[in-house]
Amino acid sequence: MPEKQLDTWLDFGAEVRRRRTQAGKSLGQVAKELSITSGMLGKIERATRATKKDIAQQLEDYFGTNGILLRKWEHAATGSPEWFRLVTKSEENATEIRAWAPILVPGVLQVEGYARAIFKVGRPLDRPDEIERLVAARLERGRTLTREDGPRLWVTLCESVLGRIVGGTDIMRDQLALLVELAEKERIRVQVVPATTPDCPGNSGPFRIITTREGGTIVYGDSSGGGNIVDSLPEVRRHVALYGELQAVALPPTTSLNVIRKAQGAI
């Protein structure tokens, strides 16, 4: 009887296999370095069995994936929806991400306290341990995307985001300090759209435009009920044009950085 694959573990298993083959290692060679058998490792790669957290950590330490394997394990273990797995996979393979943030600081740029406050108020039915898993996964995504060899990040946000207190004043100061630090190091480009801008082009909601190394582009729209992925060429073009309109009404990066510093000092 053929083995039954576990759909939620397919992405994790494929990533383990890809890392192993890239390293030029056999199943037996890798298993010998870990506390598992080659048979078990084969099942992990074929997604015919779930993987325990300690094994995922051993695989992460062995291959050194900058958190990619642990994040894929988290998605599999929590049964993350397909759209979420697709977005994170696209982010990991991205050369450029352009984000519009009219309400909150984008998730991948959030500090721990800010992210925790967002999840607590937005997911009132989740247990504390579930909230902490979500926070940890978000922080890991942020570290991956803001590393020196990460994708080019361009963030355009509404000025009201800077004055909206999330998690308390201390947390908000830390959040603005991180934005300033990343902008000063040129890890991200930030542009602020003044709150007084009439008929702001981005009133329809937050979105990200993700361009991958293969040249493909998708648009991800965020909402409280989940995410929406768009990859049809007309819609991608529309969002690219919309982002251009947002940049046209936004302040230049240098001026925007001063606006963030001013907001930081006002808290």
Side-chain angles (χ1 to χ4, degrees), residues 70-91:
L70 286 181
R71 186 159 58 254
K72 289 181 182 292
W73 179 88
E74 185 75 31
H75 298 168
T78 58
S80 298
E82 180 62 26
W83 62 262
F84 186 73
R85 294 198 294 273
L86 178 58
V87 167
T88 53
K89 186 174 183 179
S90 297
E91 287 177 339

Side-chain angles (χ1 to χ4, degrees), residues 120-141:
K120 277 186 175 180
V121 299
R123 304 178 69 94
L125 301 181
D126 284 10
R127 301 189 309 271
D129 63 306
E130 292 173 327
I131 295 293
E132 291 307 310
R133 281 201 299 269
L134 290 168
V135 171
R138 176 162 291 184
L139 295 178
E140 187 58 44
R141 283 173 64 205

Side-chain angles (χ1 to χ4, degrees), residues 39-219:
M40 181 187 295
L41 182 57
K43 289 182 178 180
I44 289 173
E45 291 187 357
R46 295 192 300 274
T48 58
R49 66 164 294 159
T51 305
K52 293 182 178 180
K53 178 65 177 291
D54 62 323
I55 300 300
Q57 184 64 63
Q58 288 183 48
L59 290 165
E60 166 64 31
D61 294 340
Y62 183 82
F63 291 116
T65 70
N66 290 317
I68 291 175
L69 269 179
L70 286 181
R71 186 159 58 254
K72 289 181 182 292
W73 179 88
E74 185 75 31
H75 298 168
T78 58
S80 298
E82 180 62 26
W83 62 262
F84 186 73
R85 294 198 294 273
L86 178 58
V87 167
T88 53
K89 186 174 183 179
S90 297
E91 287 177 339
E92 290 162 3
N93 197 36
T95 56
E96 181 181 68
I97 299 175
R98 288 166 281 178
W100 162 238
I103 302 171
L104 299 168
V105 172
V108 296
L109 300 179
Q110 292 174 5
V111 297
E112 181 175 347
Y114 192 103
R116 183 176 292 108
I118 294 299
F119 282 128
K120 277 186 175 180
V121 299
R123 304 178 69 94
L125 301 181
D126 284 10
R127 301 189 309 271
D129 63 306
E130 292 173 327
I131 295 293
E132 291 307 310
R133 281 201 299 269
L134 290 168
V135 171
R138 176 162 291 184
L139 295 178
E140 187 58 44
R141 283 173 64 205
R143 284 191 288 268
T144 299
L145 294 179
T146 57
R147 66 185 189 274
E148 288 189 4
D149 61 342
R152 178 180 176 84
L153 295 176
W154 201 297
V155 179
T156 304
L157 50 82
C158 183
E159 186 179 8
S160 60
V161 173
L162 306 176
R164 182 173 292 113
I165 304 299
V166 173
T169 54
D170 288 344
I171 289 174
M172 198 63 203
R173 287 193 197 97
D174 290 343
Q175 179 61 73
L176 296 182
L178 177 62
L179 291 180
V180 169
E181 177 187 347
L182 292 173
E184 288 179 337
K185 291 181 178 179
E186 298 186 349
R187 292 302 312 122
I188 62 172
R189 288 278 189 165
V190 181
Q191 285 186 265
V192 175
V193 174
T196 56
T197 302
D199 301 322
C200 177
N203 284 339
S204 57
F207 64 88
R208 295 201 296 276
I209 303 171
I210 305 171
T211 302
T212 65
R213 292 186 180 88
E214 291 77 18
T217 301
I218 66 169
V219 174

Side-chain angles (χ1 to χ4, degrees), residues 224-247:
S224 62
N228 179 46
I229 293 175
V230 176
D231 59 4
S232 69
L233 187 56
E235 279 301 298
V236 169
R237 284 176 173 170
R238 184 176 73 83
H239 281 83
V240 169
L242 178 57
Y243 199 81
E245 293 296 317
L246 285 163
Q247 288 184 303

